[in-house]
Amino acid sequence: MTTDCWVNETLYDAWGQRFLVQRELARVRSAFQDIMIFESATHGRVMLLDGVVQITERDEFVYQEMLTHVPLLAHGAARRVLIIGAGDGGVLRRVLMHRDVERAVMVEIDGEVIRLCREHLPAIGGDAWEDPRAQVIVGDGIDYVRRGAPASFDVIVVDSTDPIGVGEVLFTDAFYASAARLLAVGGLIVNQCGVPFMQSDELRQTSARRARHFPHVGAYLAAVPTYVGGFMTLGFAAKRPGLDAVPRVTIEARARAAGILGRTRYWTPALHEAAFWLPPYIAEQLPHA
Ligand code: SAM
């Protein structure tokens, strides 16, 4: 008789989700974190970093589409995009779907995450790794933005782990000050800000920090099934007003021109507009609430 093998997510001490494991594919202790990839019974292949769900084949489209298409289409003329983290390649693939993007630089601290995701989760990044517009750098995002040339990017997407461990530097004043310098006029930065129902400090504290370096700070929502606890928030900080309120017809026209329309499974122009309407328990975590 085989005994079932379960993996419990360890994000919260007193509550969490578990996955029935069909087959472990990789278990590596890199220089930065514990990396586990396994075949689950319900969500396809799953990757945990230090016991926290990062991505599942079944629901990755929700998060990657919202973290990528919202800022690029809100900007409206993004040509140069910086991606920090995102070692699975999912954000890079979505950025390169935008036909007018000329350059996508991705800075991931852990080369082992890239290696293992390319081997065991190949569909997530697809052929983005070979795209001539892509430059993949293995390094610390904070070092890259500190050295970066002023006004060298239009959008920065921070797809990092939570602000603990190696990810912590990506939520600091030093990082946001450098990001503001790197962004051209009209630029914006987005980053994952956790699930406020369980991690309200993350949204509140990082939004207050972003507000010290950007005049327009907000957040928008995505319902990611495996980021348990209700809505996932994506932080948003811009140099110009109104990027969080671009009319649906404009977003739709931009998506059509970019070659995105009809190629998504979660993002739509209507959902883009709706994602910025926050319930009070989340809106009250933002500055000026
Ligand atoms: N999209 C999924 C999500 O947001 O949960 C996956 C996120 S992706 C796997 C998170 C990545 O951020 C990890 O691969 C981690 O190595 C990387 N990361 C953490 N701190 C970093 C830093 N300081 N510089 C660059 N990458 C970093």
Side-chain angles (χ1 to χ4, degrees):
M1 183 191 76
T2 57
T3 51
D4 286 344
C5 170
W6 293 87
V7 162
N8 294 300
E9 183 180 30
T10 57
L11 178 56
Y12 306 114
D13 295 338
W15 177 62
Q17 64 186 326
R18 66 175 188 164
F19 293 89
L20 179 60
V21 177
Q22 288 185 322
R23 186 162 59 106
E24 185 175 287
L25 300 166
R27 186 69 188 265
V28 170
R29 178 78 211 167
S30 78
F32 301 97
Q33 51 213 333
D34 178 78
I35 307 167
M36 181 181 185
I37 300 178
F38 60 89
E39 192 80 59
S40 75
T42 51
H43 286 70
R45 294 186 173 186
V46 178
M47 176 170 72
L48 306 183
L49 294 180
D50 289 338
V52 180
V53 172
Q54 298 295 310
I55 199 158
T56 83
E57 283 181 322
R58 189 154 169 221
D59 71 357
E60 61 88 24
F61 66 92
V62 176
Y63 175 80
Q64 318 275 21
E65 288 179 12
M66 291 305 281
L67 194 61
T68 305
H69 300 323
V70 170
L72 267 68
L73 295 172
H75 182 283
R79 301 287 179 271
R80 303 158 302 162
V81 180
L82 174 60
I83 304 163
I84 306 285
D88 48 72
V91 171
L92 182 64
R93 179 162 71 86
R94 275 27 178 243
V95 166
L96 295 170
M97 282 172 65
H98 292 250
R99 62 168 64 106
D100 293 334
V101 164
E102 295 163 358
R103 183 165 180 254
V105 176
M106 178 180 133
V107 183
E108 160 60 57
I109 200 167
D110 195 340
E112 281 296 87
V113 170
I114 295 175
R115 180 181 70 82
L116 292 166
C117 286
R118 293 193 68 171
E119 181 181 353
H120 297 294
L121 293 161
I124 305 283
D127 55 8
W129 308 103
E130 285 77 37
D131 191 303
R133 296 172 291 168
Q135 180 188 5
V136 178
I137 297 167
V138 177
D140 192 329
I142 186 78
D143 296 336
Y144 183 88
V145 296
R146 278 197 178 120
R147 290 195 312 268
S152 49
F153 289 99
D154 303 305
V155 174
I156 299 176
V157 177
V158 182
D159 177 16
S160 71
T161 42
D162 285 327
I164 40 181
V166 283
E168 193 166 1
V169 288
L170 305 179
F171 295 82
T172 59
D173 279 296
F175 180 80
Y176 292 126
S178 298
R181 186 177 52 78
L182 243 60
L183 282 168
V185 171
L188 71 157
I189 180 171
V190 296
N191 66 281
Q192 74 94 357
C193 270
V195 173
F197 188 76
M198 294 297 292
Q199 303 167 304
S200 61
D201 288 354
E202 190 166 323
L203 178 64
R204 183 171 60 255
Q205 289 166 5
T206 61
S207 300
R209 225 167 279 146
R210 278 190 292 278
R212 292 200 281 266
H213 306 281
F214 291 88
H216 308 285
V217 171
Y220 58 102
L221 306 175
V224 185
T226 52
Y227 295 168
V228 292
F231 281 122
M232 170 86 181
T233 45
L234 302 167
F236 185 96
K239 289 188 163 183
R240 61 184 152 119
L243 293 190
D244 53 353
V246 178
R248 183 189 318 185
V249 286
T250 307
I251 292 293
E252 184 160 352
R254 288 177 180 173
R256 185 172 289 107
I260 300 300
L261 213 53
R263 297 176 63 199
T264 57
R265 296 181 58 216
Y266 184 90
W267 180 93
T268 66
L271 200 121
H272 177 124
E273 187 179 53
F276 286 94
W277 291 91
L278 308 179
Y281 87 92
I282 293 178
E284 68 197 14
Q285 306 299 336
L286 293 173
H288 327 306

